[in-house]
Amino acid sequence: MQIRDLPYSDPGDPDVRSGPRFLYWLGRNQLTGQLKSLAWGLLHHCSIAGLPLAVGLAVEAVIDRSGRDLARAGVLLTVLGILIALGDTMLHRTAVTNWITAAARVQQLLARRTAELGSALTRRVAAGEVVAVSTGDVEKIGWFVEALSRFLAAATALVLICVGLVFYLPSLGVLVAIATPVLALTVLPLLPRATRRADLQREKAGRATELASDTVAGLRVLRGIGGEELFLDRYRRASQEVREAAVRSARMWALISAIQVFLPGVLLISLVWYGATLARDGRIDVGQLVTVYSAATLMLFPLRNVEEIAMAYSFSRPSAQRAVRVLSLRRSTRPPTADTPAPRGDLYDPVTGLMAPQGLFTAVVCGDPDEAGRLAERLGGHTEPDDDASVPAPSVLLGGVPLDELPLDTARAAVLVQDKDPVLLSGTLRELLDVPSSGGVSAEDALDAARCGDVLDALAQASVDADGDPMNTRITERGRSLSGGQRQRLALARSLVTDPEALVLDEPTSAVDSHTEASVAAGVELLRRGRTTVAFASSPLLLDVADRVVLLHGGTVVAAGTHRELLRNDHRYRAVVTRETDDEAAARDGIPAADGLRPARAAKEIEETA
């Protein structure tokens, strides 16, 4: 895999049983890249290891006053220099390629899981953790894959150099061969403590990120209640905890680095002392001593890769564990049937008993906005059952077919859910409305039904084109240059363009005035006539145009009919829609206001009396 070939056509099915298993799976899927790095790394390190031999030959040539041998040593040094430059360049190139391709694979896996789960993702995993995984954790995982490339080459080169020194000069080569693994393994007892400190640092950093994300997301509310200083003080304390954890972790890694410097120094001093003794006794030549000493000195460079791979693994393991927590989430426990066509028919939720007949405009009234939001997501097959639930919640049915048994693309094409706070992506209006659709509704018809005339006029004035075409006007990120009502209507137009079999709208007109709301309700009803539409709302202007209105109370459908029928016959519906006060409800039911009976209590007493 080359960088120019990204993204992957299929990033694969990761092993999410644990963080280390995920790292192993990631490295195994990049075996070709690892082998390339190994080959170029061996060339680089072995060429460096050949320098002492060339230097030793040059020293011997000077001692023997042989110009021919000195010239040969010079040629050998030149060739080794070229090979070192080539090996180092290509090792860096292949290692960085492994880093980028591994990071890209992880990001594709995360994006695929995010798209599959939808809004259910942030219900099961904190938003700050998702941000941390998709940014910093991806970088740490890529670093481990890159460090692994260089470590394998360095470890193989160390083995070859030690074997070569043993054959070249056994009296000193054996000392180097014994000391090298000792130097590499000395820091192992310190790694568990360093790993724990790194884990603690990452955990505290993740909590600080979550706190920062929540604070920024709710900054407007915090300012309204005067609580921004409180949350900022919490973030200051969290950031100080991160700093303290980072300092403690850095101290441990500094100790490991100090050991990696001190012990090789002891080895070199011992090697020089013992080698000088042998040279004085005439048992070895000076050139041989220089060769072995130079080789031992240059071996310190590949030994550094042992410390790097230990540090990279310590930081990447918790990152991989967090990535696994996200990647292990699944949309459904029931395997989808790939060949199932898009069903048609009534939309039915067995949990609440909500029935949205095919081809009708059904309005749902619910006094609890959170309950309405959860039902809207469930109607689209987006919400996962709770992790502690022993039995999964039954799936919503479309035409008698469970949505959980449909392929994800088919389910979302059949039932489209627009939540109460839809997001407008940056780009032109034409690009905003260029979404997968049936082709039965044009962008002009959708904009007209959503009553976006004033929005088009405003975009035309802001257009930089000579013709002033609003379709070519660029919309800023999240539509920040538009009002809340304008953003809501553009999002509604985008949903109408898709023309799904069933369209679910959660408070589609909550940000517009009454006159516009009535016009939008009429436009949506006219455009969607003959198609299944479900709207969660409590506005009489929208409820009055619905073919059927359903009252949801306590998580169950308790009444159904037209808006006017329910307004006359059901006090609970009337209380939600008209926002009548307790005194007004008591007076209407013939109960004196002084009795202090709330409508719910009054209704209960009437039912008990009956």
Side-chain angles (χ1 to χ4, degrees), residues 171-189:
S171 55
L172 293 180
V174 171
L175 175 62
V176 175
I178 294 175
T180 298
V182 174
L183 295 178
L185 300 177
T186 301
V187 298
L188 285 182

Side-chain angles (χ1 to χ4, degrees), residues 28-82:
R28 188 184 63 192
N29 277 269
Q30 297 190 237
L31 185 60
T32 301
Q34 297 291 344
L35 291 177
K36 289 181 180 179
S37 294
L38 176 62
W40 290 114
L42 285 176
L43 176 63
H44 173 62
H45 291 298
C46 291
S47 299
I48 293 178
L51 290 177
L53 177 62
V55 173
L57 293 176
V59 171
E60 292 291 341
V62 172
I63 294 176
D64 297 339
R65 298 181 180 276
S66 173
R68 178 180 298 177
D69 292 342
L70 185 61
R72 290 175 179 173
V75 172
L76 180 58
L77 283 172
T78 302
V79 173
L80 290 175
I82 295 174

Side-chain angles (χ1 to χ4, degrees), residues 155 221 226 228 238 273 306 315 344 405 407 515 532 570:
V221 177
E228 53 185 322
W273 177 81
V306 177
F315 280 91
R344 305 171 67 90
E405 296 182 3
H515 175 74
T532 305
D570 196 296

